Amino acid sequence: MILNSQIPGGPLAEKWTKHKFDLKLVNPSNKRKYDIIVVGTGLAGASASASLAELGYNVQAFSYHESPRRAHSIAAQGGINAAKNYPNDGDSIFRLFYDTIKGGDYRSREANVYRLAEISNNIIDQCVAQGIPFAREYGGLLDNRSFGGAQVSRTFYARGQTGQQLLLGAYSALVRQMKTGKVKFHPRHEMLDLVLIDGEAKGIVTRNLITGEIQSHAANAVVLATGGYGNAFFLSTNAMASNVTAAWRAHKKGAFFANPCITQIHPTCIPVASSHQSKLTLMSESLRNDGRVWVPKKMGDKRHPSEISEDERDYYLERLYPSFGNLVPRDVASRRAKEMCDRGHGVGETGLAVFLDFADAIARMGKDTVTQKYGNLFDMYKQITGENPYETPMRIYPAVHYTMGGLWVDYNLMSTTPGLYILGEANFSDHGANRLGASALMQGLADGYFVIPYTIGDYLSGKLGESISTEHRAFAETESDVKSRIDTLISVNGNRTVDDIHKELGLILWENVGMAKNKAGLEKAIESIPKLQNEFWNNVKITGTADELNPELEKAGRLADFLELGELMARDALNREESCGGHFREEHQTEENEARRNDEEFSYVAAWEYKGKGNPAKLHKEELVFENVALTTRSYK
């Protein structure tokens, strides 16, 4: 199969405008004749559901939560990027595009990234109209702050709760459409498989998480907006229910999975405290605006930070990267923190932490101003650690956060399976090898509000009069497969809990497919994970039954998918013989321990095709073409 990205011709700045005109349309009266399924009701899914319903389509929206307000989008703290240039500091659509391409280490499509930058300004207008309480300057204008990977202030924010406020805006738009009857919301339903008819996506099979009932749902097109797969590592900043199941089941039905090995490690997280932890907590990247990162110059120095004088401190990001300082991109900051700890300069009991210090900011701006900007984040840190960050520096360490990989999509956000569209973090499209901070919310809302409402019509326009019913035999066959899988899981009745096996998988991935990778470690992971898969299917213990509320069964199904995905992540990482962004191969680094790309051989998107149980996935390549930026070695010095 030849991957066709559907990128329109013409100058970069005109591609999206021209493409919108070239897309086929569905007239308003015909929109009422089409049904669309949207799985996931976070920022991307809620905004897409509301927008599609507003246009007149009949939408069925699915969430494994009881309310869209529970989506993991609420955890995004620091802000959302847009090229408004309100501070008049030199920003523009092209600069946002360039910073995003560069931040992603030149492993993303120019056309997609430029469209994202172009749409960013519309998103802010949309959200302001919805009443999103963005922070404002004294005169009433929207305020901006800086984020990593940029030398301008372009991040709009609502204190440290930006994701939550944006989700409430999308939720309000979604609820309005639910009240009109254009959206039928299915709470506490988990998608367990995709239904194909003649090779095209025409429905899904779900499990009612309260009753255990297996149900089929038909539509003319299916949209997945189900987030990322960082929880494959067990410990991550993701909500504990976040998973890869919807995307992975679609992959096994023919949708290619792109760049699975490229995972973002966030540098600003509360360090692991014990082996009993179930998740990690993110401290917003916005804290690096005013907080200074440092470690003691002396190895093994365990003194209280107040006892370590200025000349005994190493503000290593400011020393190594004077132009960007503490605002280098996440992948760079993460690797440097690991490097400092590996050299024996880490702080805290475990030595796996560095300091994030606000003493200078408090002295410069006053405690009240710092509280206004970051107060809820400081409160959260104190509740979790018992330490007061106003009085002593925060301790932070990198942790698994965002996944740049996901299902492959073309410019229209359609996967390799016709009729299946993928939005937000569930697709691979806009961030390359590293996501800049405050770009996740931007992509989710761009996809939901401003891209999918145009592009899905191009597909549906050719389906006028198409009638899809759950009576089709494809639904019965898929339901049978789902029930058989569940029965197999329940019947194992082994001796190990789901979490026990998941922790073992997470450790394999973190040590071998995490922040730093090498050939020996990846080969070890590829050997170990299939053995753990076998252990899972022969020795997992799932209490309860399939026809009731059963969280252990939910977790088991998701872990089965993580085990398969984990092996593909390792194979993808082994294949990519270079370092780029969040993918760091120890064999490919500069003398300064920076990432060394191999543009001649690896300037492509790795899209993997599922070839059946027991068979290795097949690699397909989408070559990346750069006409508007030069491929240079990233430098933030």
Side-chain angles (χ1 to χ4, degrees), residues 405-570:
L407 292 180
W408 185 91
V409 293
D410 63 16
Y411 190 70
N412 293 326
L413 304 184
M414 188 189 283
S415 71
T416 51
T417 299
L420 178 65
Y421 292 82
I422 319 296
L423 312 187
E425 190 179 359
N427 75 35
F428 86 99
S429 66
D430 290 1
H431 306 298
N434 175 59
R435 179 177 67 80
L436 292 184
S439 288
L441 302 182
M442 178 172 60
Q443 186 206 352
L445 292 182
D447 288 355
Y449 282 138
F450 298 107
V451 180
I452 194 66
Y454 284 98
T455 60
I456 201 169
D458 190 64
Y459 170 77
L460 292 175
S461 65
K463 305 296 179 182
L464 190 60
E466 177 184 65
S467 178
I468 305 297
S469 169
T470 56
E471 297 300 314
H472 193 286
R473 59 183 173 81
F475 288 90
E477 292 170 357
T478 307
E479 277 194 27
S480 178
D481 291 342
V482 167
K483 291 175 181 176
S484 176
R485 183 183 178 89
I486 291 173
D487 291 342
T488 300
L489 283 171
I490 291 287
S491 67
V492 174
N493 197 29
N495 297 311
R496 295 184 65 181
T497 65
V498 176
D499 283 352
D500 185 40
I501 297 174
H502 196 170
K503 286 180 181 179
E504 185 174 343
L505 172 66
L507 192 60
I508 293 171
L509 291 176
W510 177 249
E511 290 182 345
N512 301 292
V513 200
M515 196 166 7
K517 310 157 190 170
N518 57 58
K519 185 174 185 291
L522 292 168
E523 289 176 343
K524 179 182 177 182
I526 292 169
E527 179 183 352
S528 301
I529 294 174
K531 294 178 180 177
L532 190 59
Q533 288 181 32
N534 186 63
E535 172 74 1
F536 170 82
W537 284 103
N538 288 281
N539 200 25
V540 71
K541 176 74 173 181
I542 301 172
T543 54
T545 65
D547 56 355
E548 63 179 349
L549 176 64
N550 191 338
E552 287 301 304
L553 177 59
E554 296 172 36
K555 291 192 296 184
R558 296 163 186 171
L559 176 56
D561 298 323
F562 281 141
L563 284 162
E564 294 178 358
L565 169 64
E567 183 179 354
L568 184 61
M569 291 168 67

Side-chain angles (χ1 to χ4, degrees), residues 309-487:
S309 63
E310 278 291 311
D311 61 359
E312 295 178 294
R313 302 179 178 187
D314 181 9
Y315 294 92
Y316 58 90
L317 291 179
E318 298 172 31
R319 170 173 58 83
L320 294 169
Y321 308 101
S323 293
F324 283 74
N326 295 295
L327 288 174
V328 293
R330 292 173 176 178
D331 61 314
V332 176
S334 294
R335 285 198 299 276
R336 294 292 79 82
K338 180 181 185 296
E339 180 183 25
M340 291 298 158
C341 293
D342 289 348
R343 291 180 178 179
H345 297 278
V347 302
E349 293 183 9
T350 64
L352 294 177
V354 299
F355 286 129
L356 181 62
D357 197 335
F358 282 83
D360 286 356
I362 292 172
R364 184 178 72 254
M365 299 185 293
K367 182 179 177 181
D368 289 346
T369 300
V370 171
T371 300
Q372 290 173 11
K373 296 175 73 173
Y374 310 114
N376 63 308
L377 298 172
F378 278 46
D379 292 342
M380 185 165 63
Y381 181 87
K382 184 177 181 180
Q383 289 177 18
I384 292 172
T385 66
E387 301 172 1
N388 186 345
Y390 292 105
E391 299 173 359
T392 188
M394 291 182 179
R395 289 176 294 107
I396 58 170
Y397 192 70
V400 171
H401 180 52
Y402 189 94
T403 49
M404 274 74 66
L407 292 180
W408 185 91
V409 293
D410 63 16
Y411 190 70
N412 293 326
L413 304 184
M414 188 189 283
S415 71
T416 51
T417 299
L420 178 65
Y421 292 82
I422 319 296
L423 312 187
E425 190 179 359
N427 75 35
F428 86 99
S429 66
D430 290 1
H431 306 298
N434 175 59
R435 179 177 67 80
L436 292 184
S439 288
L441 302 182
M442 178 172 60
Q443 186 206 352
L445 292 182
D447 288 355
Y449 282 138
F450 298 107
V451 180
I452 194 66
Y454 284 98
T455 60
I456 201 169
D458 190 64
Y459 170 77
L460 292 175
S461 65
K463 305 296 179 182
L464 190 60
E466 177 184 65
S467 178
I468 305 297
S469 169
T470 56
E471 297 300 314
H472 193 286
R473 59 183 173 81
F475 288 90
E477 292 170 357
T478 307
E479 277 194 27
S480 178
D481 291 342
V482 167
K483 291 175 181 176
S484 176
R485 183 183 178 89
I486 291 173
D487 291 342

Side-chain angles (χ1 to χ4, degrees), residues 87-152:
N88 198 29
D89 57 358
D91 202 8
S92 65
I93 289 173
F94 192 87
R95 188 175 295 279
L96 175 53
F97 154 75
Y98 176 77
D99 286 346
T100 306
I101 288 281
K102 176 184 175 183
D105 218 352
Y106 307 96
R107 290 295 175 262
S108 48
R109 289 190 198 130
E110 283 191 341
N112 283 68
V113 176
Y114 192 89
R115 176 174 66 186
L116 180 64
E118 185 180 355
I119 288 173
S120 67
N121 293 335
N122 302 113
I123 297 171
I124 302 304
D125 296 339
Q126 168 89 1
C127 292
V128 169
Q130 290 176 332
I132 305 302
F134 285 125
R136 293 179 181 268
E137 297 175 335
Y138 181 77
L141 299 177
L142 296 183
D143 195 18
N144 288 116
R145 59 187 177 199
S146 300
F147 256 64
Q151 291 180 303
V152 297

Side-chain angles (χ1 to χ4, degrees), residues 133-205:
F134 285 125
R136 293 179 181 268
E137 297 175 335
Y138 181 77
L141 299 177
L142 296 183
D143 195 18
N144 288 116
R145 59 187 177 199
S146 300
F147 256 64
Q151 291 180 303
V152 297
S153 296
R154 63 162 66 101
T155 304
F156 295 78
Y157 65 98
R159 211 175 186 184
Q161 308 169 353
T162 314
Q164 182 181 33
Q165 297 303 323
L166 292 174
L167 183 62
L168 288 173
Y171 170 72
S172 65
L174 176 59
V175 169
R176 177 176 178 271
Q177 295 305 321
M178 289 163 59
K179 293 295 184 183
T180 67
K182 293 303 293 182
V183 174
K184 181 180 180 182
F185 180 57
H186 299 265
R188 304 293 284 147
H189 280 65
E190 182 168 29
M191 172 183 159
L192 294 184
D193 215 338
L194 179 71
V195 179
L196 302 182
I197 297 178
D198 296 329
E200 301 191 15
K202 296 300 172 188
I204 62 173
V205 171

Side-chain angles (χ1 to χ4, degrees), residues 218-239:
N220 300 100
V222 177
V223 176
L224 301 188
T226 49
Y229 51 87
N231 276 352
F233 291 84
F234 188 74
L235 284 180
S236 82
T237 65
N238 290 187

